[in-house]
């Protein structure tokens, strides 16, 4: 290259080359694309030998660097495989890992091929097309490597995004039919759940890939024309190489853009334009035609651009582009707006009627509301003593303990040491003394942040687990306002027929660190007076460190050299990690959405965590979303052993097509619900999170009539309650109760949610989710008479505040510097009436221990407060005359009840008036004694007998 040609290089480039020592003599030309001659390539450094890529040392060094950079990934992959093998889920791990790796490799290969092929072709053709007096910068050897490096870097990014979609690819390959079709295109719902997401991703991924390809091609062609660009003299359309290449890649890009419009037609079923979610009248009569027009015009634009491969003609492409822009503005923007304003809005209900029907049908289907059974509750009557007598099992399970203040109580009374902590208090039911009793319980887990002395040995070898649980019945209170414990203290003191043989908790809600068990050091088990009790782990949980290589791998993964240096870690030691139960389950099944409230169960002498898992989607056609999803099923029940960490999956909703898809992909992962041990089956419950999502949708979607739905004539809302006198009203939470459904005789475990009419405070309905097999998962809604006023929770809260005696007591406590905590207000259906129950807690400003001081009960006409539920119910019935309705069909109660201390003599049929009066007085005294004792069965019987005596007396006296 001549000095004159070198001087034509822009000053910045020339100076950089000179400073780097590049030779500019013409006789040092290159070979092939790098320039004429047989010497070194132009601008090669002085003294350079053979290219570095031909040097063996370079490749050895590169391999070492690659291994170093990949070390963390290699170690993590290896240790994860060991962890999955310990759980016998290595096949599950391998399939997930394999589909990610295959997705990455395929995406990387495709992206690399497209980017590098186009960019290097552009480089070679640009060199050939460079005018003789322009600096041929692309001949510079480093440019070739720069292009390759940029292409590989981008390809890595594209491959990573492809691998991140492995779950969508998995669902696509193992998909099953849903069994229902959409109302517009008649495609099975599985197309929208499994196929359309993959097609959308691939279209967007390829579109982005081609865009980056185009940008790179244009930059490469422009490099050798920098002087012309600086002078404004560059005419790229005059370069055949650039025109042909650019036309090809731009045509492909426009074709992919056109394919996006074809997919957008299906996405109209997610349109938010109309009065409801999903395709509306305007979408189906305007937007769809705009998308079709844009699809055709964009495809024609792609062909017009492709025509430039053979002959330069930008005019045709410009015309097609102009028509596409006009269609987008007029058909896609202006026309739908005019149609909506002048054709739809004046006749909205009739225009949108079929689309509202679709939305109602598919929203109910997507959230499982189509299976809700609606029943009339019947006429409302005032609460009577007979109602209470007939529902003794309900009253024995009224939850007086609110889980929020109870957690503070557990911490103060049962943590016992600073390094123990309780998670959220759970609610469950157990058979105790032959009866189902509702209980509150929580696990006592280890909090290492509060260890009195924190050393490596303490954190990793000695303090390894929590210990035991605390359990109390929901309805029992001590004289000082504390719970009566069924299970308490360390070691567990149990006063019911329930055994806990393995109280140690190695896997829990708040256990998020790693430990080494079965080591040379005994583990702290629990404190006993001034001494500690120690143990050694004897379970299956943990990865055995039975080789130096495994110890080395975990030392690298944990960043802890003590794993190698400690003499107490030997061949029998196991390392336990992923101990937090939600994280543990997600490691195995990241494709399941987990409920945020795991609960612990005592089963077969062991502590077992139970979790609910959901399958969700946001791609269900015509279904209105809630919290970002518009399809949900409680598809899986999961158990995690608190000692061994074993995870077991049970399919709870076999009809769900998403869980069927995962079961196809992982054939040995899931068991049927029938395979769950019976002792665990009795503790499954309908998840509160699922129920809340469903009931929020049901507020509107209980209305199936189009006109009623459109006008929102019968919309409901979640009632409010008061929690803590210092807070604003908040939505009432669903709550678990043990009671029979109206019309049934057997009590069962239910999840209850009352409803109010929209913008009203009275109660309009209540819903129940059934928890016990074989009725698990059934939803029942009882609608209340609309012509009667039934008090809602916030109205009862207002009546409580207006009751002089209660208000005076609250004021007195407040003046003494105590904080009043109002617990959950429970609305409990009792026969044809409702009983409202609210516990009242008192917490001193100087104490963290809340005490349950009062129980408030209410009916539709009365309110009472006492220190116990029995006392409050007695006061409630004394507050007004009681009208007893005797049902002759009621079977006598055979259960033996405690004596009330009052004898009630038997009366002969021909008894005298005096004998009848004496007998009536005796029955009255017995009823009062039973009321004071809280014996509602005897109370009802005595009142019934009293009624009969009074009727006999009236007949004898002729009244």
């Amino acid at each position: 290259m001549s000095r004159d040609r070198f001087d034509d290089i822009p000053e910045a480039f020339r100076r950089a080359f000179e400073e780097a020592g590049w030779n500019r003599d013409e006789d040092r030309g290159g070979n092939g694309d790098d320039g004429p001659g047989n010497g070194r390539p132009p601008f090669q450094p002085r003294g350079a030998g053979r290219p570095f890529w031909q040097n063996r040392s370079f490749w050895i060094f590169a391999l070492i660097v690659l291994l170093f950079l990949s070390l963390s990934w290699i170690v993590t992959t290896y240790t994860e495989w060991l962890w999955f093998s310990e759980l016998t889920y290595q096949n599950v791990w391998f399939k997930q890992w394999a589909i990610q790796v295959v997705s990455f490799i395929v995406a990387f290969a495709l992206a690399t091929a497209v980017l590098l092929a186009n960019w290097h072709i552009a480089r070679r053709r640009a060199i050939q097309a460079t005018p003789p007096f322009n600096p041929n910068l692309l001949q510079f050897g480093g440019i070739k490597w720069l292009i390759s490096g940029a292409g590989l870097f981008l390809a890595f990014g594209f491959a990573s995004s492809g691998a991140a979609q492995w779950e969508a690819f998995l669902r696509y390959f193992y998909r099953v039919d849903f069994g229902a079709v959409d109302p517009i295109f008649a495609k099975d719902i599985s197309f929208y759940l499994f196929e359309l997401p993959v097609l959308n991703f691939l279209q967007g991924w390829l579109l982005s890939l081609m865009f980056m390809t185009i940008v790179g091609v244009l930059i490469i062609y422009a490099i050798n024309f920098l002087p012309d660009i600086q002078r404004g003299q560059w005419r790229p359309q005059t370069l055949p190489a650039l025109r042909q290449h650019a036309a090809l890649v731009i045509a492909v890009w426009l074709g992919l853009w056109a394919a996006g419009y074809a997919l957008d037609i299906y996405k109209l079923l997610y349109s938010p334009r109309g009065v409801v979610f999903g395709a509306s009248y305007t979408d189906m009569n305007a937007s769809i035609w705009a998308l079709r027009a844009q699809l055709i015009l964009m495809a024609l634009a792609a062909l017009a651009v492709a025509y430039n491969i053979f002959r330069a003609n930008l005019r045709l492409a410009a015309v097609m582009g102009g028509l596409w822009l006009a269609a987008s503005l007029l058909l896609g923007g202006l026309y739908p707006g005019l149609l909506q304003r002048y054709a739809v809005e004046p006749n909205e209900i009739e225009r949108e009627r079929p689309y509202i029907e679709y939305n109602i049908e598919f929203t109910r289907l997507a959230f499982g509301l189509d299976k809700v059974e609606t029943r009339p509750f019947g006429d409302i009557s005032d609460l009577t003593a007979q109602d209470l007598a007939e529902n003794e099992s309900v009253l024995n399970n009224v939850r007086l303990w609110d889980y929020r203040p109870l957690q503070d109580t557990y911490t103060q009374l049962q943590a016992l040491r600073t390094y123990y902590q309780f998670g959220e208090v759970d609610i469950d039911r157990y058979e105790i003394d032959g009866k189902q009793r509702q209980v509150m319980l929580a696990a006592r887990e280890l909090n290492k942040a509060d260890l009195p002395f924190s050393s490596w040995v303490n954190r990793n070898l000695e303090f390894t687990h929590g210990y035991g649980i605390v359990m109390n019945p929901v309805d029992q209170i001590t004289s000082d306002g504390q719970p009566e414990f069924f299970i308490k203290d360390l070691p567990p003191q149990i006063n019911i027929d329930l055994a806990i043989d393995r109280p140690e908790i190695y896997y829990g809600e708040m256990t998020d660190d790693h430990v080494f068990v079965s080591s040379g050091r005994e583990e702290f088990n629990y404190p006993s007076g001034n001494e500690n009790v120690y143990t050694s782990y004897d379970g299956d949980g943990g990865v055995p460190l039975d080789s130096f290589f495994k110890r080395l791998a975990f030392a690298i993964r944990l960043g802890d050299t003590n794993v190698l240096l400690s003499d107490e870690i030997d061949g029998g030691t196991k390392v336990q990690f992923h101990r937090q139960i939600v994280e543990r389950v997600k490691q195995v099944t990241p494709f399941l959405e987990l409920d945020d409230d795991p609960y612990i169960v005592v089963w077969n002498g062991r502590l077992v965590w139970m979790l609910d898992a959901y399958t969700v989607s946001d791609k269900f056609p015509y279904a209105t979303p809630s919290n970002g999803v518009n399809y949900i099923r409680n598809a899986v029940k999961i158990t995690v052993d608190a000692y061994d960490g074993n995870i077991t999956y049970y399919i709870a909703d076999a009809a769900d097509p998403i869980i069927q898809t995962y079961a196809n992909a992982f054939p040995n992962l899931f068991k049927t619900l029938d395979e769950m041990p019976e002792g665990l089956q009795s503790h499954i419950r309908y998840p509160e999170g699922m129920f809340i999502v469903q009931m929020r949708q049901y507020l509107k979607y209980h209305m199936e009539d189009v006109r009623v739905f459109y006008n929102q004539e019968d919309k409901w809302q979640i009632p409010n309650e008061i929690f803590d006198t210092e807070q604003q009203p908040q939505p009432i939470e669903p709550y678990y109760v043990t009671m029979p459904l109206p019309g049934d005789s057997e009590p069962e475990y239910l999840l209850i949610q009352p409803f109010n009419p929209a913008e009203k405070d009275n109660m309009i309905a209540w819903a129940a989710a059934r928890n016990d097999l074989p009725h698990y998962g059934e939803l029942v809604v009882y609608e209340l008479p609309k012509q009667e006023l039934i008090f809602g929770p916030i109205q009862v809260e207002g009546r409580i505040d207006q009751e002089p005696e209660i208000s005076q007591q609250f004021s007195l406590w407040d003046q003494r510097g105590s904080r009043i905590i109002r617990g959950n207000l429970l609305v409990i259906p009792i026969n044809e009436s409702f009983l409202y129950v609210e516990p009242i807690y008192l917490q001193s400003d100087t104490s963290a221990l809340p005490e349950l001081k009062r129980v408030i009960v209410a009916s539709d006409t009365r309110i009472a407060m006492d220190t116990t539920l029995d006392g409050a119910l007695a006061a409630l019935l004394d507050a007004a005359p009681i009208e007893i309705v005797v049902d002759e069909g009621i079977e006598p109660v055979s259960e033996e009840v405690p004596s009330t201390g009052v004898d009630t003599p038997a009366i002969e049929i021909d008894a005298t008036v005096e004998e009848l009066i004496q007998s009536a007085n005796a029955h009255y005294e017995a009823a009062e004694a039973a009321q004071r004792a809280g014996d509602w069965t005897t109370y009802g019987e005595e009142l019934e007998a009293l009624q009969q005596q009074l009727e006999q007396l009236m007949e004898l006296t002729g009244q």
Side-chain angles (χ1 to χ4, degrees):
M1 178 181 288
S2 68
R3 182 177 300 272
D4 293 337
R5 288 180 58 190
F6 185 85
D7 291 340
D8 288 337
I9 297 176
E11 180 64 24
F13 283 90
R14 186 170 60 81
R15 187 182 303 114
F17 292 148
E18 289 178 342
E19 290 176 356
W22 297 100
N23 195 321
R24 57 186 181 182
D25 293 338
E26 185 177 27
D27 58 352
R28 300 199 179 192
N31 294 313
D33 291 338
D34 294 321
N38 297 318
R40 292 191 303 272
F43 310 114
Q44 186 175 9
R46 295 188 184 96
R50 61 181 177 175
F52 64 86
W53 58 87
Q54 297 180 8
N55 191 319
R56 181 182 302 175
S57 300
F58 165 78
W59 290 110
I60 294 175
F61 176 75
L63 181 61
I64 293 173
V65 171
L66 181 63
L67 287 174
F68 179 78
L69 295 176
S70 304
L71 182 62
S72 176
W73 179 83
I74 293 171
V75 168
T76 301
T77 301
Y78 171 65
T79 53
E80 285 298 311
W81 179 78
L82 293 175
W83 183 81
F84 274 88
S85 299
E86 175 242 330
L87 290 172
T88 69
Y89 286 145
Q90 60 267 35
N91 291 336
V92 175
W93 172 84
F94 182 76
K95 179 165 283 188
Q96 295 180 37
W97 181 82
I99 196 169
Q100 292 180 63
V101 170
V102 170
S103 300
F104 181 90
I105 291 174
V106 171
F108 184 78
L110 181 58
T112 300
V114 171
L115 290 170
L116 295 190
N118 280 281
W119 289 357
H120 282 298
I121 289 173
R123 175 178 173 272
R124 286 196 299 269
R125 300 187 73 182
I127 289 174
Q128 296 169 0
T130 301
F133 297 106
N134 274 23
N136 208 332
L137 299 179
L138 293 174
Q139 288 182 330
F140 172 41
I143 289 290
K144 185 175 181 179
W145 286 94
L146 179 62
I147 290 173
S148 297
L152 291 173
F153 177 79
L154 288 176
F156 184 87
F158 279 106
S160 298
S161 66
Q165 296 297 314
W166 69 271
E167 290 182 32
F169 297 144
L170 182 78
R171 290 191 294 267
Y172 177 84
F173 287 118
Y174 291 95
R175 65 189 182 277
V176 298
D177 287 342
F178 192 90
V181 298
D182 78 88
I184 302 299
F185 305 110
K187 283 190 170 291
D188 190 271
I189 302 301
S190 61
F191 169 79
Y192 299 94
L193 297 182
F194 306 128
E195 299 178 43
L196 188 58
V198 172
L199 296 176
N200 277 324
F201 169 75
L202 291 178
Q203 186 268 340
W205 187 86
L206 291 171
L207 193 70
S208 299
L209 176 61
M210 292 309 301
F211 177 78
M212 296 307 300
T213 301
I214 293 169
V215 171
V217 165
L218 295 178
I219 291 174
I220 290 170
Y221 275 105
I223 286 178
N224 277 359
F225 293 88
L226 287 176
D228 294 339
I229 294 173
Q230 289 177 336
R231 293 191 295 266
Q233 297 176 356
W234 190 41
R235 299 294 181 265
Q237 66 273 20
T238 62
L239 298 176
L242 172 58
R243 171 175 54 79
Q244 293 169 352
H245 197 171
L248 176 62
V249 292
I250 292 175
V252 173
W253 181 61
L254 294 178
L256 291 168
W257 193 341
Y261 288 119
L263 299 177
D264 288 343
I265 291 174
Y266 293 109
K267 289 192 283 187
L268 286 176
L269 300 192
Y270 312 128
S271 170
R273 179 196 295 272
V275 67
V276 292
F277 185 84
S280 64
Y281 180 90
T282 299
D283 291 319
M284 298 313 300
N285 290 274
S287 298
I288 192 171
W289 295 107
L291 290 173
R292 288 168 177 167
Q294 289 171 303
L295 166 61
I296 294 171
L297 292 172
M298 185 58 70
L300 291 175
L303 293 176
V305 171
Y307 180 75
N308 284 267
I309 298 173
F310 310 101
R311 180 176 297 178
N313 189 341
L314 296 179
R315 182 177 300 175
L316 183 59
V319 170
M320 290 298 103
L323 291 175
W324 167 82
L325 181 60
S328 300
L329 295 175
L330 298 178
L331 296 180
L334 182 60
Y335 177 58
L338 293 174
L339 184 67
Q340 180 72 23
R341 173 62 184 87
Y342 295 103
V344 176
E345 290 184 9
N347 310 282
E348 192 168 50
I349 188 169
E350 294 306 321
R351 299 285 193 189
E352 301 285 11
R353 178 179 293 275
Y355 309 106
I356 296 175
E357 290 177 349
Y358 300 151
N359 175 260
I360 294 173
E361 176 187 355
F362 281 82
T363 300
R364 289 173 60 87
L365 175 63
F367 288 91
L369 305 180
D370 56 322
K371 294 184 174 66
V372 173
E373 181 182 358
T374 303
R375 302 176 184 176
F377 186 75
D379 295 333
I380 305 298
S381 60
D382 197 15
L383 186 69
T384 65
Q386 182 173 334
D387 293 327
L388 300 179
E390 293 172 359
N391 289 272
E392 185 176 0
S393 62
V394 179
L395 299 178
N396 287 338
N397 285 285
V398 173
R399 181 166 61 84
L400 302 180
W401 288 103
D402 189 295
Y403 65 91
R404 291 161 289 196
L406 184 60
Q407 185 170 14
D408 294 334
T409 301
Y410 277 9
T411 300
Q412 293 297 313
L413 298 181
Q414 284 296 309
L416 304 179
R417 294 292 188 274
T418 58
Y419 44 78
Y420 285 127
Q421 62 181 345
F422 291 100
E424 186 171 298
V425 178
D426 299 316
I427 305 169
D428 203 354
R429 74 282 197 197
Y430 288 80
E431 187 171 319
I432 299 173
D433 296 331
K435 297 181 181 179
Q436 188 181 97
R437 296 294 302 275
Q438 194 174 180
V439 300
M440 317 283 285
L441 71 163
R444 186 185 289 108
E445 298 191 50
L446 194 62
N447 179 12
K448 294 184 183 180
D450 291 330
L451 286 176
F453 176 67
S454 180
S455 66
W456 186 89
V457 170
N458 279 353
R459 294 192 309 271
N460 293 274
L461 300 177
E462 189 161 320
F463 287 85
T464 57
H465 58 276
Y467 197 88
I469 64 169
V470 177
M471 178 187 292
N472 68 282
V474 298
D475 63 319
Q476 294 183 15
I477 317 165
T478 65
S479 58
D480 56 353
Q482 303 305 329
E484 290 275 7
F485 289 110
F486 280 165
I487 302 176
K488 62 178 181 177
D489 296 343
L490 293 171
Q493 304 298 309
I494 306 174
N495 55 24
I496 56 176
D497 185 19
L498 199 65
I500 303 179
D501 302 321
R502 276 295 180 197
E504 297 91 350
I505 301 173
Y506 284 85
Y507 301 87
E509 285 187 275
M510 296 173 287
T511 307
D512 57 0
D513 62 344
H514 63 271
V515 294
F516 300 92
V517 298
S518 301
S519 67
R521 173 177 287 269
E522 287 189 320
E523 303 162 34
F524 169 79
N525 208 24
Y526 60 87
S528 179
N530 294 326
E531 298 181 354
N532 294 330
V533 177
Y534 292 87
T535 187
S536 291
Y537 184 73
D538 190 30
D540 298 328
V543 177
L545 299 179
D546 50 9
S547 70
F548 176 79
F549 186 74
K550 288 183 180 179
R551 291 179 67 174
L552 176 63
F554 279 99
I556 295 173
R557 171 168 181 155
L558 302 176
D560 190 350
T561 56
N562 287 330
V563 179
L564 293 173
L565 301 176
S566 174
D567 294 333
E568 293 177 308
I569 296 179
D570 53 31
T573 302
K574 298 178 179 180
V575 56
Q576 293 183 349
F577 60 108
H578 296 322
R579 298 201 298 151
Q580 204 282 333
I581 55 175
V582 172
E583 179 213 357
R584 188 173 184 83
V585 171
K586 276 191 169 294
Q587 284 295 121
V588 180
T589 50
F591 43 81
L592 294 177
E593 294 292 330
L594 298 182
D595 189 81
D596 59 2
D597 185 24
Y599 58 101
I600 199 160
V601 173
V602 181
W603 169 71
N604 201 25
R606 303 180 73 90
L607 300 179
V608 178
W609 294 99
M610 192 167 286
L611 300 87
D612 286 282
Y614 308 121
T615 52
V616 300
S617 176
D618 59 353
K619 304 301 181 186
F620 203 91
Y622 266 114
T624 301
S626 175
N627 293 330
V629 301
N630 67 353
Y631 174 86
I632 186 170
R633 291 290 185 271
N634 177 212
V636 183
K637 301 290 183 181
I638 306 169
T639 61
V640 181
D641 190 286
Y643 189 73
D644 287 337
N646 293 326
I647 308 172
T648 310
Y649 295 84
Y650 302 93
I651 294 180
D653 188 349
D656 172 37
I658 298 183
I659 202 60
Q660 291 176 27
T661 296
Y662 290 133
N664 289 342
F666 307 104
N668 298 319
L669 177 60
F670 299 100
K671 297 182 178 181
T672 65
L673 196 58
D674 293 336
E675 295 178 85
M676 179 184 283
E678 186 176 348
L680 288 176
Q681 286 185 9
S682 62
H683 291 283
I684 63 174
R685 69 185 192 187
Y686 202 83
E688 186 177 334
M690 170 87 168
F691 192 58
I692 289 173
V693 171
Q694 289 179 301
M695 292 303 100
R696 284 176 179 170
Q697 291 291 64
Y698 198 73
L699 299 176
K700 287 176 56 179
Y701 286 94
H702 70 278
M703 299 180 286
E704 297 184 67
D705 181 86
V706 172
R707 184 171 294 276
V708 173
F709 184 93
Y710 174 80
N711 292 319
Q712 300 291 286
E713 297 175 18
D714 194 25
K715 185 179 178 181
W716 297 348
Q717 68 182 16
I718 302 296
N720 284 332
E721 65 170 349
I722 302 293
F723 173 73
D724 189 343
T725 53
E726 299 175 1
Q727 296 187 13
Q728 295 295 320
Q730 63 184 27
I732 192 169
E733 299 176 348
Y735 46 91
Y736 293 97
V737 297
T738 299
M739 56 169 276
L741 288 173
D744 295 348
S745 58
E746 291 297 323
E748 57 181 297
Y749 199 50
L750 302 171
L751 182 59
I752 297 290
Q753 175 69 70
F755 299 112
N756 289 351
E759 308 302 326
K760 302 282 187 179
D761 292 330
N762 60 292
M763 194 160 63
I764 192 67
W766 60 277
R770 308 179 76 172
N771 292 264
D772 297 333
L773 295 172
H775 300 292
Y776 173 79
E778 295 178 7
L779 300 178
V780 185
V781 172
Y782 289 88
E783 296 184 349
L784 305 180
K786 295 184 179 180
Q787 68 275 12
E788 296 186 46
L789 173 65
I790 298 96
F791 287 111
I794 199 66
Q795 290 177 317
V796 174
E797 298 276 21
R799 291 171 58 202
I800 291 173
D801 291 336
Q802 294 171 4
E803 187 71 18
E805 186 176 326
I806 297 175
S807 178
Q808 182 179 5
Q809 182 64 68
F810 283 3
S811 299
L812 181 62
W813 282 331
D814 188 59
Q815 290 171 3
R816 292 178 179 175
S818 297
R819 177 185 173 213
I820 301 170
I821 303 173
R822 296 166 76 153
N824 284 131
L825 177 64
L826 306 182
V827 183
I828 304 173
I830 302 286
N831 290 353
E832 297 176 348
S833 308
F834 288 97
L835 175 66
Y836 306 86
V837 181
E838 183 173 71
I840 303 298
Y841 305 87
L842 203 61
Q843 183 172 349
S844 169
D845 291 342
T846 60
S847 171
L849 181 63
E851 299 177 359
L852 203 165
K853 284 298 186 182
R854 296 289 188 273
V855 179
I856 299 175
V857 295
S859 66
D860 277 348
T861 58
R862 293 163 285 184
I863 294 179
M865 181 175 72
D866 204 288
T867 56
T868 66
L869 177 62
D870 289 338
L873 290 173
L876 182 73
L877 296 176
D878 279 342
I882 304 170
E883 179 182 358
I884 302 295
V885 179
V886 180
D887 186 349
E888 300 295 340
I890 296 177
E891 295 291 334
V893 178
S894 59
E895 181 182 359
E896 184 176 337
V897 297
S899 172
T900 59
V902 179
D903 294 328
T904 53
I907 298 298
E908 302 293 334
I909 296 177
D910 56 352
T912 64
V913 171
E914 184 177 350
E915 290 173 334
L916 287 172
I917 292 175
Q918 292 176 353
S919 176
N921 285 331
H923 283 298
Y924 178 74
E925 292 174 1
E928 282 194 324
Q931 182 188 44
R932 288 191 296 271
D935 184 357
W936 304 108
T937 300
T938 303
Y939 181 71
E941 291 173 350
E942 294 297 339
L943 285 179
E944 182 178 350
L946 174 61
Q947 181 74 11
Q948 292 174 350
Q949 298 298 306
L950 293 177
E951 289 176 354
Q952 282 185 265
L953 187 62
M954 292 174 65
E955 289 178 2
L956 286 177
T957 58
Q959 296 180 2

